[in-house]
Amino acid sequence: MQKQRYPSFRTVLERGDILRAAGAHDALGAVLAQESGFQAVWSSSFEVSAARCLPDASLLTMTEYLEAAAAMQKALSVPVVADCDTGYGNSLNVAHMVHEYERAGITAVCLEDKIFPKMNSFAEAEQQLLPAPAFAHKIETAKNAQSDADFFVIARTEALIAGLPVQEALARCHAYVDAGADAVLIHSKAKTKDQVLEFLEQWDRRRPVVVVPTTYPDWHVDDAAQAGVSVVIYANQGLRATVSSLRHTFRSIYETGNSTALEGSIASVSDVFSLQRLADWQKLEA
Ligand code: SPV
Ligand code: MG
């Protein structure tokens, strides 16, 4: 079998069009996102945790998140953007993380300015931020630790998630760019895109802006591009679809006593074989 080659995240971003990434937690979900046309896959901490029925609260280790991201990247010909939470500790943890992710072939990581251990942005919980200079130092350390100039570090501010004003998010993102961030991610849990739009209107565009429109799902990708967004991450729709689909499927089989009613709507076994690249494997021993 041929070694799978893929462009770096930076290379894909530099093509110029707005880049869409879909969240996943395993290689199968990642490959299905790629099949639909997504130009990158978000290795989501929420999804990777949920896949183990654990909260997205820094419970899994860096090694476990890396293993998930690397398994996705191995199966893909588009780049993974690894959601690395807070960087799993202090600045030295961030340096170690960058070494390990780079060695595993990951070309982009995202770090957020919350305190370790973090809690998922949508959870009913107090969200505590690291002081901006301390997070800027983490970004600087990440950039010092990378060995390939192509490696891409996204600095994510949780200022709006913590209930702080847009001005605070802007000030933080400017500091993170000064520290070397390759892009900034402005996260919001508002029901509309207004806060993010306000951010974009005042952003000086020195670096690309990444958004995650989970709570404001009606923002069309073309309108986001028009507003100055460079990357849109559909972070968890795949996971939520999996939950609904499996629940429906298992209930139906259990309640009807057989699986006939589902046969027309679930994927065929040969469809799964092709996702497994079974034919390529069979050629190996032919
Ligand atoms: C993730 O998908 O893990 C994210 C996005 O970080 S969110 O769940 O909105 O925090
Ligand atoms: Mg996350």
Side-chain angles (χ1 to χ4, degrees):
M1 226 178 328
Q2 289 221 318
K3 188 163 176 252
Q4 195 78 45
R5 299 199 68 83
Y6 50 91
S8 69
F9 179 77
R10 185 185 296 279
T11 308
V12 177
L13 187 61
E14 282 174 359
R15 288 179 191 155
D17 291 337
I18 190 164
L19 189 160
R20 282 184 275 178
H25 58 271
D26 62 15
L28 182 60
V31 164
L32 289 169
Q34 171 178 280
E35 185 184 277
S36 291
F38 285 92
Q39 297 94 349
V41 167
W42 170 248
S43 174
S44 155
S45 68
F46 176 55
E47 289 217 9
V48 173
S49 308
R52 295 207 195 181
C53 285
L54 288 173
D56 179 19
S58 299
L59 298 181
L60 298 178
T61 63
M62 182 206 76
T63 312
E64 290 168 310
Y65 283 115
L66 173 56
E67 191 176 51
M72 294 185 228
Q73 187 64 85
K74 274 187 222 162
L76 290 169
S77 49
V78 299
V80 163
V81 181
D83 172 7
C84 293
D85 288 344
T86 61
Y88 313 108
N90 63 20
S91 292
L92 284 186
N93 296 88
V94 168
H96 176 56
M97 178 218 103
V98 168
H99 294 158
E100 295 296 308
Y101 274 70
E102 236 194 324
R103 203 160 293 153
I106 302 296
T107 64
V109 294
C110 179
L111 293 172
E112 66 193 58
D113 59 1
K114 288 207 295 241
I115 287 178
F116 174 86
K118 70 87 196 244
M119 172 55 77
N120 182 266
S121 306
F122 298 125
E124 284 296 335
E126 197 196 344
Q127 299 286 357
Q128 272 196 312
L129 301 192
L130 207 59
F135 186 70
H137 186 245
K138 277 188 174 180
I139 295 296
E140 209 176 334
T141 308
K143 295 304 292 176
N144 286 340
Q146 74 185 56
S147 61
D148 190 327
D150 232 18
F151 191 75
F152 199 93
V153 176
I154 301 170
R156 159 174 167 177
T157 187
E158 293 278 289
L160 303 178
I161 298 289
L164 298 169
V166 170
Q167 289 312 319
E168 175 69 19
L170 282 161
R172 281 178 170 263
C173 286
H174 283 132
Y176 304 160
V177 168
D178 289 342
D182 296 295
V184 297
L185 188 158
I186 176 73
H187 201 13
S188 164
K189 59 180 178 187
K191 292 274 179 281
T192 69
K193 59 187 178 300
D194 298 352
Q195 272 187 325
V196 173
L197 275 179
E198 196 186 326
F199 177 96
L200 286 160
E201 276 158 16
Q202 295 178 66
W203 182 243
D204 59 12
R205 299 194 179 206
R206 267 193 300 158
R207 289 289 183 278
V209 175
V210 183
V211 300
V212 186
T214 304
T215 55
Y216 42 101
D218 56 331
W219 205 9
H220 192 280
V221 60
D222 295 343
D223 297 329
Q226 191 67 34
V229 171
S230 296
V231 181
V232 186
I233 299 175
Y234 299 91
N236 54 43
Q237 288 80 2
L239 171 75
R240 288 154 59 202
T242 302
V243 170
S244 313
S245 176
L246 292 184
R247 187 172 276 147
H248 166 74
T249 300
F250 293 144
R251 275 196 187 149
S252 166
I253 296 171
Y254 196 81
E255 279 164 16
T256 60
N258 67 45
S259 64
T260 312
L262 293 165
E263 288 302 328
S265 59
I266 59 178
S268 65
V269 170
S270 66
D271 189 357
V272 178
F273 284 163
S274 95
L275 289 163
Q276 291 172 299
R277 305 165 62 102
L278 176 60
D280 290 340
W281 281 89
Q282 284 175 323
K283 273 188 216 144
L284 288 177
E285 60 169 6

Short mmCIF file of all heavy atoms in Angstrom, two decimals, residues 163-190:
data_model
loop_
_atom_site.label_atom_id
_atom_site.label_comp_id
_atom_site.label_asym_id
_atom_site.label_seq_id
_atom_site.Cartn_x
_atom_site.Cartn_y
_atom_site.Cartn_z
N GLY A 163 -17.75 35.09 29.76
CA GLY A 163 -18.65 36.21 30.03
C GLY A 163 -17.98 37.58 29.96
O GLY A 163 -18.55 38.58 30.37
N LEU A 164 -16.77 37.62 29.41
CA LEU A 164 -16.05 38.89 29.29
C LEU A 164 -16.44 39.57 27.97
O LEU A 164 -16.94 38.93 27.05
CB LEU A 164 -14.54 38.64 29.36
CG LEU A 164 -14.08 38.04 30.70
CD1 LEU A 164 -12.64 37.56 30.63
CD2 LEU A 164 -14.25 39.05 31.82
N PRO A 165 -16.20 40.89 27.87
CA PRO A 165 -16.63 41.60 26.66
C PRO A 165 -15.73 41.34 25.44
O PRO A 165 -14.61 40.84 25.58
CB PRO A 165 -16.55 43.08 27.08
CG PRO A 165 -15.65 43.12 28.25
CD PRO A 165 -15.67 41.78 28.91
N VAL A 166 -16.26 41.71 24.28
CA VAL A 166 -15.53 41.55 23.01
C VAL A 166 -14.17 42.24 23.07
O VAL A 166 -13.18 41.74 22.52
CB VAL A 166 -16.40 42.08 21.84
CG1 VAL A 166 -15.60 42.15 20.55
CG2 VAL A 166 -17.63 41.20 21.66
N GLN A 167 -14.11 43.40 23.75
CA GLN A 167 -12.84 44.13 23.84
C GLN A 167 -11.75 43.28 24.50
O GLN A 167 -10.58 43.34 24.11
CB GLN A 167 -13.03 45.45 24.61
CG GLN A 167 -13.82 46.50 23.86
CD GLN A 167 -13.35 46.68 22.41
OE1 GLN A 167 -12.15 46.69 22.12
NE2 GLN A 167 -14.29 46.81 21.48
N GLU A 168 -12.15 42.49 25.50
CA GLU A 168 -11.19 41.62 26.17
C GLU A 168 -10.70 40.52 25.21
O GLU A 168 -9.51 40.19 25.16
CB GLU A 168 -11.83 40.99 27.43
CG GLU A 168 -10.97 39.97 28.16
CD GLU A 168 -9.75 40.54 28.86
OE1 GLU A 168 -9.72 41.77 29.10
OE2 GLU A 168 -8.82 39.75 29.15
N ALA A 169 -11.64 39.98 24.44
CA ALA A 169 -11.28 38.95 23.46
C ALA A 169 -10.30 39.52 22.43
O ALA A 169 -9.31 38.87 22.07
CB ALA A 169 -12.53 38.42 22.78
N LEU A 170 -10.56 40.75 21.99
CA LEU A 170 -9.68 41.39 21.01
C LEU A 170 -8.29 41.63 21.60
O LEU A 170 -7.27 41.33 20.96
CB LEU A 170 -10.28 42.73 20.57
CG LEU A 170 -11.41 42.65 19.54
CD1 LEU A 170 -12.22 43.94 19.53
CD2 LEU A 170 -10.86 42.36 18.14
N ALA A 171 -8.26 42.16 22.83
CA ALA A 171 -6.97 42.45 23.46
C ALA A 171 -6.16 41.16 23.61
O ALA A 171 -4.96 41.13 23.35
CB ALA A 171 -7.20 43.11 24.82
N ARG A 172 -6.83 40.10 24.04
CA ARG A 172 -6.14 38.82 24.21
C ARG A 172 -5.62 38.30 22.86
O ARG A 172 -4.46 37.88 22.76
CB ARG A 172 -7.09 37.79 24.84
CG ARG A 172 -7.22 37.99 26.35
CD ARG A 172 -8.20 37.02 26.98
NE ARG A 172 -8.10 37.10 28.43
CZ ARG A 172 -7.39 36.28 29.21
NH1 ARG A 172 -6.74 35.25 28.68
NH2 ARG A 172 -7.32 36.45 30.51
N CYS A 173 -6.45 38.36 21.84
CA CYS A 173 -6.02 37.82 20.54
C CYS A 173 -4.85 38.63 19.97
O CYS A 173 -3.94 38.06 19.36
CB CYS A 173 -7.19 37.76 19.57
SG CYS A 173 -8.31 36.40 20.00
N HIS A 174 -4.86 39.94 20.19
CA HIS A 174 -3.71 40.73 19.75
C HIS A 174 -2.44 40.28 20.46
O HIS A 174 -1.39 40.13 19.84
CB HIS A 174 -3.97 42.23 19.99
CG HIS A 174 -4.90 42.82 18.97
ND1 HIS A 174 -5.97 43.61 19.30
CD2 HIS A 174 -4.94 42.70 17.63
CE1 HIS A 174 -6.63 43.95 18.20
NE2 HIS A 174 -6.01 43.42 17.17
N ALA A 175 -2.57 40.06 21.77
CA ALA A 175 -1.39 39.61 22.54
C ALA A 175 -0.91 38.25 22.05
O ALA A 175 0.30 37.99 21.98
CB ALA A 175 -1.73 39.57 24.02
N TYR A 176 -1.84 37.38 21.69
CA TYR A 176 -1.45 36.03 21.25
C TYR A 176 -0.77 36.08 19.88
O TYR A 176 0.17 35.32 19.62
CB TYR A 176 -2.68 35.10 21.23
CG TYR A 176 -3.41 35.02 22.56
CD1 TYR A 176 -4.74 34.59 22.66
CD2 TYR A 176 -2.78 35.39 23.76
CE1 TYR A 176 -5.40 34.55 23.88
CE2 TYR A 176 -3.44 35.35 24.98
CZ TYR A 176 -4.75 34.93 25.03
OH TYR A 176 -5.41 34.88 26.24
N VAL A 177 -1.24 36.99 19.02
CA VAL A 177 -0.58 37.15 17.71
C VAL A 177 0.83 37.72 17.93
O VAL A 177 1.80 37.26 17.32
CB VAL A 177 -1.42 38.04 16.77
CG1 VAL A 177 -0.62 38.44 15.54
CG2 VAL A 177 -2.69 37.30 16.35
N ASP A 178 0.95 38.69 18.83
CA ASP A 178 2.28 39.24 19.15
C ASP A 178 3.21 38.13 19.65
O ASP A 178 4.42 38.18 19.44
CB ASP A 178 2.18 40.34 20.22
CG ASP A 178 1.52 41.60 19.67
OD1 ASP A 178 1.47 41.76 18.43
OD2 ASP A 178 1.05 42.42 20.48
N ALA A 179 2.63 37.13 20.31
CA ALA A 179 3.44 36.03 20.86
C ALA A 179 3.77 34.98 19.79
O ALA A 179 4.51 34.04 20.07
CB ALA A 179 2.70 35.38 22.02
N GLY A 180 3.17 35.13 18.60
CA GLY A 180 3.54 34.22 17.51
C GLY A 180 2.43 33.33 16.99
O GLY A 180 2.67 32.49 16.11
N ALA A 181 1.21 33.49 17.51
CA ALA A 181 0.11 32.63 17.04
C ALA A 181 -0.08 32.78 15.53
O ALA A 181 0.01 33.88 14.99
CB ALA A 181 -1.19 33.00 17.77
N ASP A 182 -0.36 31.65 14.87
CA ASP A 182 -0.56 31.67 13.42
C ASP A 182 -1.99 32.03 13.04
O ASP A 182 -2.27 32.42 11.91
CB ASP A 182 -0.21 30.30 12.83
CG ASP A 182 1.26 29.97 13.03
OD1 ASP A 182 2.09 30.68 12.46
OD2 ASP A 182 1.57 29.03 13.79
N ALA A 183 -2.92 31.86 13.99
CA ALA A 183 -4.33 32.23 13.78
C ALA A 183 -4.95 32.36 15.16
O ALA A 183 -4.38 31.90 16.16
CB ALA A 183 -5.06 31.15 12.98
N VAL A 184 -6.12 32.99 15.20
CA VAL A 184 -6.84 33.08 16.48
C VAL A 184 -8.21 32.44 16.30
O VAL A 184 -8.78 32.44 15.20
CB VAL A 184 -6.99 34.53 16.98
CG1 VAL A 184 -5.62 35.14 17.25
CG2 VAL A 184 -7.78 35.39 16.01
N LEU A 185 -8.70 31.86 17.38
CA LEU A 185 -10.05 31.28 17.37
C LEU A 185 -10.88 32.04 18.38
O LEU A 185 -10.49 32.14 19.56
CB LEU A 185 -9.99 29.78 17.71
CG LEU A 185 -11.29 28.96 17.57
CD1 LEU A 185 -10.97 27.47 17.39
CD2 LEU A 185 -12.28 29.15 18.70
N ILE A 186 -11.98 32.60 17.92
CA ILE A 186 -12.87 33.32 18.82
C ILE A 186 -14.11 32.44 19.06
O ILE A 186 -14.88 32.19 18.14
CB ILE A 186 -13.23 34.74 18.25
CG1 ILE A 186 -14.24 35.45 19.14
CG2 ILE A 186 -13.70 34.70 16.81
CD1 ILE A 186 -13.68 35.95 20.43
N HIS A 187 -14.21 31.95 20.30
CA HIS A 187 -15.32 31.04 20.61
C HIS A 187 -16.42 31.82 21.32
O HIS A 187 -16.14 32.74 22.09
CB HIS A 187 -14.83 29.88 21.47
CG HIS A 187 -15.73 28.68 21.43
ND1 HIS A 187 -16.73 28.52 20.50
CD2 HIS A 187 -15.78 27.55 22.21
CE1 HIS A 187 -17.34 27.37 20.70
NE2 HIS A 187 -16.80 26.75 21.74
N SER A 188 -17.67 31.44 21.01
CA SER A 188 -18.82 32.09 21.63
C SER A 188 -19.91 31.05 21.83
O SER A 188 -20.04 30.12 21.03
CB SER A 188 -19.32 33.20 20.69
OG SER A 188 -20.62 33.61 21.06
N LYS A 189 -20.66 31.21 22.92
CA LYS A 189 -21.80 30.31 23.13
C LYS A 189 -23.11 31.09 23.04
O LYS A 189 -24.16 30.63 23.50
CB LYS A 189 -21.67 29.58 24.47
CG LYS A 189 -21.59 30.49 25.68
CD LYS A 189 -21.45 29.66 26.96
CE LYS A 189 -21.32 30.61 28.15
NZ LYS A 189 -21.03 29.94 29.40
N ALA A 190 -23.03 32.28 22.40
CA ALA A 190 -24.24 33.10 22.21
C ALA A 190 -25.14 32.43 21.17
O ALA A 190 -24.67 31.65 20.34
CB ALA A 190 -23.85 34.49 21.76
#
